[in-house]
Amino acid sequence: MATCGLIEYDHASSEVRAVYNDIMATRGTDWINNFWKALAHDPPALRRTWQSVKEIMAPGALDPLVKEMIYVAVSVTNQCGYCIASHTAAARKAGMTDAMFAEVMAVVGMANESNRLASGYQVEIDDRFKTP
Amino acid sequence: MATCGLIEYDHASSEVRAVYNDIMATRGTDWINNFWKALAHDPPALRRTWQSVKEIMAPGALDPLVKEMIYVAVSVTNQCGYCIASHTAAARKAGMTDAMFAEVMAVVGMANESNRLASGYQVEIDDRFKTP
Amino acid sequence: MATCGLIEYDHASSEVRAVYNDIMATRGTDWINNFWKALAHDPPALRRTWQSVKEIMAPGALDPLVKEMIYVAVSVTNQCGYCIASHTAAARKAGMTDAMFAEVMAVVGMANESNRLASGYQVEIDDRFKTP
Amino acid sequence: MATCGLIEYDHASSEVRAVYNDIMATRGTDWINNFWKALAHDPPALRRTWQSVKEIMAPGALDPLVKEMIYVAVSVTNQCGYCIASHTAAARKAGMTDAMFAEVMAVVGMANESNRLASGYQVEIDDRFKTP
Amino acid sequence: MATCGLIEYDHASSEVRAVYNDIMATRGTDWINNFWKALAHDPPALRRTWQSVKEIMAPGALDPLVKEMIYVAVSVTNQCGYCIASHTAAARKAGMTDAMFAEVMAVVGMANESNRLASGYQVEIDDRFKTP
Amino acid sequence: MATCGLIEYDHASSEVRAVYNDIMATRGTDWINNFWKALAHDPPALRRTWQSVKEIMAPGALDPLVKEMIYVAVSVTNQCGYCIASHTAAARKAGMTDAMFAEVMAVVGMANESNRLASGYQVEIDDRFKTP
């Protein structure tokens, strides 16, 4: 189980409930996933992390689907089981099809391979790729 | 310098030149970046890697810009200097604006943070996130 | 189960028992955790690793609690499930409170985020940070 | 050079200057390091990241020196050159001696080793380490 | 369960069956492990990945046992549970003894430790190690 | 430059010189590379790390060339510039040819790719791969 346990809505302080309410309202859902319930043991961290996630994942120059797929790509690269499961679900909800998922995986696999080939062969950065 | 040095077009075998030619034709450029010149010491790896990159990065369910941004996200997570430089350049060429780049970075930063919070708090995967 | 199984005290050679005894005496406990029982299949590695851990984790310029929290921070960054569980328990035994744990997690999350922002934005090291 | 260049104080917007001023006031310094100047191309990210760093690194259940050493430990584990240089400097300013630095390095090295031994030997988590 | 489920031989398309048949023939086995069954949802990725694995893991300048042990070393460093289990099994089948496994683990542990000591102490590359 | 500078033989204590002498004698060389000179600021760490490296890298069930190639594989996966350079040189000295190097790189690249495909597709470990 989570290191400090999970704080359910019914047992949460009003400070924590306010964040839970905003998460559910923003996402249009009626439940809170375990990540937030575990983090709720540190209310300032809960508030700060949620505010950052809310701000970062909102539509902007990139749409939410692209952002969720990038989130999946990072989580897969880091091999974080929880985040792979939760953000694959979030990306699907945002419109990711099976075909899109397969292409994300292919790019992630290829990038992880070529990152090591570049480092292993000690390839120097081309002048054209350097910022002037 | 690269571990085995770089193989320039003029000194390349016809097998290597064929790959170089396909890279330039596919990308609509007249030059080859160092990654391929370093890998050219292993012609089967050069051919295989290029074929995979060409196939994976082609337009599909995702457009090339999204794929390049995912490539950047993985390279940044792995902290591969060469790939960050080369794929940031490639993503810009594919249409990534400064605003898009900033959003990619924000998502990558956030995902790297929450991956560790999830692992550190030992959060269990919610049943709803499990594939049935 | 562990790749080569676990070697219990009753079935251990005298060489392995000597290490087990020193672990229990040093830690003031009457049991051995699975890590050592798995490693016991390679007695020189068992002895060498325990000697290093014993020497490194002893009180010095840093007290054992700080050392255990650093151990947790590294294990969370690497996302090693076993070490997160075992060293969170060890840090608690050394005096880590829930509030301290939450602060360790917050720093680990932030550092993992800013590490990628620094790499992704290709930030050059300031002259003032360079060792003269 | 940094991907989007560095924004110096004299050329910064009032929004960015406000953050720069708060960084200098909080740290008791008269300069801004490159990390913030690179991030300033995305003012909301600059503000958000600084607010998080300021909140997380403030004295709490852990003192600032311990927090800076944990920051170094994570940056070394991730092998982020910029953050290793900048947070080693910050930790020294907060009171880290050479002897403390050496002990941080020793713990970081050992943890990175044992993380892999635990994973490689596929060691199962002991029941005693599981949260009830 | 796997994100998109597993495709069993009996329900596979002829394109997927052709790859499955080649895997079994090349490995001299009569079964397919889950990795391929999960990847089969993306037939081009299945074909491409298998072709690369088949080409890379074939006897060459290095024999298959050495290659499998390197595969284990990378998987342990990345802490990928599936690949540690599957490639430890593959390495054993290729002739890896318990003593060899223990030595692989010892080298992997040591390299993970010294990688961080080198980065943490910000050690500059010796001129003699640079490629001329 | 290295965080605490480099300790040259002529300025080293007798305790440090003893380790330097053993490194040179064991390796049949007349110089010390920067890694050890940086670590020499912490003599117990210098001694402990050298003793472990000496013991682990000695001929055993695996020959030194295989061990050096595994060391390279881990260093490339972690993207440690110093260790890639130093252990590629060490592996060459131990007999690694360009063809062997290229095969190590190919396996490292492939393993880094498939590690992420396995994690990303959330593939469950086959029963046959589990240790009984």
Side-chain angles (χ1 to χ4, degrees):
Chain A
M1 232 175 67
T3 306
C4 307
L6 303 174
I7 294 183
E8 299 295 336
Y9 191 91
D10 290 348
H11 300 88
S13 66
S14 59
E15 184 185 5
V16 167
R17 278 191 190 184
V19 177
Y20 283 6
N21 287 337
D22 194 39
I23 292 173
M24 291 189 285
T26 303
R27 295 184 165 174
T29 59
D30 62 352
W31 71 297
I32 297 293
N33 56 306
N34 289 344
F35 177 79
W36 304 108
K37 292 181 191 167
L39 197 54
H41 284 276
D42 180 358
L46 175 71
R47 177 194 46 71
R48 186 179 60 233
T49 306
W50 166 245
Q51 278 306 115
S52 293
V53 166
K54 187 181 174 182
E55 192 172 312
I56 290 168
M57 301 305 283
L62 300 177
D63 64 70
L65 170 57
V66 169
K67 290 183 174 185
E68 283 293 351
M69 291 190 297
I70 291 173
Y71 219 116
V72 170
V74 170
S75 302
V76 169
T77 298
N78 285 330
Q79 311 206 122
C80 174
Y82 186 84
C83 300
I84 291 170
S86 61
H87 285 277
T88 298
R92 281 193 192 285
K93 197 179 156 194
M96 181 178 72
T97 62
D98 280 1
M100 288 173 178
F101 172 74
E103 295 195 8
V104 173
M105 289 303 101
V107 176
V108 168
M110 190 69 236
N112 272 288
E113 175 166 4
S114 70
N115 282 189
R116 271 65 183 207
L117 293 175
S119 296
Y121 276 94
Q122 302 183 74
V123 187
E124 287 179 315
I125 299 178
D126 305 71
D127 286 338
R128 299 200 196 190
F129 292 150
K130 290 180 183 158
T131 309
Chain B
M1 231 176 67
T3 307
C4 307
L6 302 174
I7 295 183
E8 300 295 338
Y9 191 91
D10 290 348
H11 299 90
S13 67
S14 60
E15 183 185 6
V16 166
R17 278 191 191 185
V19 177
Y20 284 4
N21 287 336
D22 193 39
I23 292 173
M24 291 188 287
T26 303
R27 294 185 166 174
T29 60
D30 62 353
W31 71 297
I32 297 293
N33 56 305
N34 289 345
F35 177 80
W36 304 109
K37 292 181 191 167
L39 198 54
H41 284 276
D42 180 358
L46 175 70
R47 177 194 47 70
R48 186 179 61 233
T49 307
W50 166 244
Q51 278 308 115
S52 293
V53 166
K54 186 181 175 182
E55 192 171 312
I56 290 168
M57 301 306 283
L62 301 178
D63 64 71
L65 170 57
V66 169
K67 290 183 174 185
E68 283 293 351
M69 291 190 297
I70 291 173
Y71 219 116
V72 170
V74 171
S75 302
V76 169
T77 298
N78 285 330
Q79 312 206 121
C80 174
Y82 185 84
C83 300
I84 291 170
S86 61
H87 285 278
T88 298
R92 282 192 193 284
K93 195 178 158 195
M96 181 178 71
T97 62
D98 279 1
M100 288 173 178
F101 172 73
E103 295 196 7
V104 173
M105 288 303 102
V107 176
V108 168
M110 190 70 237
N112 272 287
E113 176 167 4
S114 69
N115 282 188
R116 271 63 182 208
L117 292 175
S119 296
Y121 276 93
Q122 302 184 73
V123 188
E124 288 178 314
I125 300 178
D126 304 72
D127 286 337
R128 299 201 197 190
F129 292 150
K130 291 179 182 158
T131 309
Chain C
M1 234 177 65
T3 307
C4 306
L6 302 174
I7 295 184
E8 300 296 337
Y9 191 92
D10 289 349
H11 300 89
S13 67
S14 58
E15 183 184 5
V16 167
R17 278 191 191 185
V19 177
Y20 284 5
N21 287 336
D22 193 39
I23 292 174
M24 291 188 286
T26 303
R27 294 184 165 174
T29 60
D30 63 352
W31 71 297
I32 296 293
N33 56 305
N34 289 345
F35 178 79
W36 304 108
K37 292 181 191 167
L39 197 55
H41 284 276
D42 180 357
L46 175 70
R47 177 192 47 71
R48 187 178 59 233
T49 307
W50 166 244
Q51 279 306 116
S52 293
V53 166
K54 187 181 174 182
E55 193 171 312
I56 290 168
M57 301 305 282
L62 300 178
D63 63 70
L65 170 58
V66 169
K67 290 183 175 185
E68 283 294 350
M69 291 190 297
I70 291 172
Y71 219 114
V72 170
V74 171
S75 302
V76 169
T77 299
N78 285 330
Q79 312 207 122
C80 172
Y82 185 84
C83 300
I84 291 170
S86 61
H87 285 277
T88 297
R92 281 192 193 285
K93 197 179 156 194
M96 181 178 72
T97 62
D98 279 1
M100 288 174 177
F101 172 74
E103 295 195 9
V104 173
M105 289 304 99
V107 177
V108 168
M110 190 71 236
N112 272 288
E113 175 166 4
S114 70
N115 282 187
R116 272 62 184 209
L117 293 175
S119 297
Y121 275 95
Q122 302 183 75
V123 187
E124 287 178 316
I125 299 179
D126 305 71
D127 286 337
R128 298 200 197 190
F129 291 149
K130 290 179 182 158
T131 309
Chain D
M1 232 177 66
T3 307
C4 306
L6 302 175
I7 294 184
E8 300 296 338
Y9 191 91
D10 290 349
H11 299 89
S13 67
S14 59
E15 184 185 5
V16 166
R17 278 190 191 186
V19 177
Y20 284 5
N21 287 336
D22 193 38
I23 292 173
M24 292 189 285
T26 303
R27 295 185 164 174
T29 60
D30 63 352
W31 71 297
I32 296 293
N33 55 306
N34 289 344
F35 177 78
W36 304 109
K37 292 182 191 166
L39 197 55
H41 284 275
D42 181 356
L46 174 70
R47 177 193 47 70
R48 187 178 60 233
T49 306
W50 166 244
Q51 278 306 115
S52 293
V53 167
K54 186 181 175 183
E55 192 171 313
I56 290 167
M57 301 305 282
L62 300 178
D63 63 70
L65 170 56
V66 169
K67 290 183 174 185
E68 283 293 352
M69 291 191 296
I70 291 173
Y71 218 116
V72 170
V74 170
S75 302
V76 169
T77 299
N78 285 330
Q79 311 206 122
C80 173
Y82 185 84
C83 300
I84 291 170
S86 62
H87 285 277
T88 297
R92 281 193 193 284
K93 196 178 156 195
M96 182 178 71
T97 62
D98 279 2
M100 288 173 178
F101 171 73
E103 295 196 8
V104 173
M105 289 303 101
V107 176
V108 168
M110 190 70 236
N112 271 288
E113 175 167 4
S114 70
N115 282 188
R116 273 62 183 206
L117 293 176
S119 297
Y121 276 93
Q122 302 184 74
V123 187
E124 287 178 316
I125 299 179
D126 305 71
D127 286 337
R128 297 200 198 190
F129 292 150
K130 291 179 182 157
T131 308
Chain E
M1 231 177 66
T3 307
C4 306
L6 302 174
I7 295 183
E8 300 295 338
Y9 191 91
D10 290 348
H11 300 90
S13 67
S14 59
E15 184 185 5
V16 167
R17 278 191 191 185
V19 177
Y20 284 5
N21 287 336
D22 193 38
I23 292 173
M24 291 188 286
T26 303
R27 294 185 165 174
T29 59
D30 63 351
W31 72 297
I32 297 293
N33 56 304
N34 289 345
F35 177 80
W36 304 109
K37 291 181 191 168
L39 197 54
H41 284 275
D42 180 358
L46 175 71
R47 178 194 45 70
R48 186 178 61 233
T49 307
W50 166 245
Q51 278 307 117
S52 293
V53 167
K54 187 181 175 181
E55 193 171 312
I56 290 168
M57 300 305 283
L62 300 178
D63 63 71
L65 171 57
V66 169
K67 290 183 174 185
E68 283 293 351
M69 290 190 297
I70 291 173
Y71 219 115
V72 170
V74 170
S75 303
V76 169
T77 298
N78 285 330
Q79 311 207 120
C80 173
Y82 185 84
C83 300
I84 291 170
S86 61
H87 284 278
T88 297
R92 282 192 192 284
K93 196 179 157 193
M96 182 179 70
T97 62
D98 279 1
M100 287 173 177
F101 171 73
E103 294 195 6
V104 174
M105 288 303 101
V107 177
V108 168
M110 190 70 236
N112 271 287
E113 175 167 3
S114 69
N115 282 188
R116 272 63 182 209
L117 292 175
S119 297
Y121 276 94
Q122 301 184 74
V123 188
E124 288 178 314
I125 299 179
D126 305 72
D127 286 336
R128 298 200 197 190
F129 292 150
K130 290 179 182 158
T131 309
Chain F
M1 232 176 67
T3 307
C4 306
L6 303 174
I7 294 183
E8 299 296 338
Y9 190 91
D10 291 348
H11 299 88
S13 67
S14 58
E15 183 184 5
V16 167
R17 279 192 190 184
V19 177
Y20 283 6
N21 287 337
D22 193 39
I23 292 173
M24 291 189 286
T26 303
R27 295 185 165 173
T29 59
D30 63 353
W31 72 297
I32 297 293
N33 57 304
N34 289 345
F35 177 78
W36 304 108
K37 291 181 191 167
L39 197 54
H41 284 276
D42 180 358
L46 175 70
R47 177 194 45 72
R48 187 179 61 233
T49 307
W50 166 243
Q51 279 306 116
S52 293
V53 166
K54 187 182 175 181
E55 193 172 310
I56 290 168
M57 301 305 283
L62 300 177
D63 64 70
L65 171 57
V66 169
K67 290 183 175 185
E68 283 294 350
M69 291 190 297
I70 291 173
Y71 219 116
V72 170
V74 171
S75 303
V76 169
T77 298
N78 285 329
Q79 312 206 121
C80 173
Y82 185 84
C83 300
I84 292 170
S86 61
H87 284 278
T88 297
R92 283 193 191 284
K93 196 178 156 193
M96 181 179 72
T97 62
D98 279 1
M100 287 173 179
F101 172 74
E103 295 196 9
V104 173
M105 289 303 101
V107 176
V108 168
M110 190 70 237
N112 271 288
E113 175 167 5
S114 70
N115 282 188
R116 271 63 182 207
L117 292 175
S119 296
Y121 276 94
Q122 303 184 74
V123 187
E124 287 179 314
I125 299 178
D126 305 72
D127 286 337
R128 298 198 196 192
F129 291 150
K130 290 178 182 159
T131 309

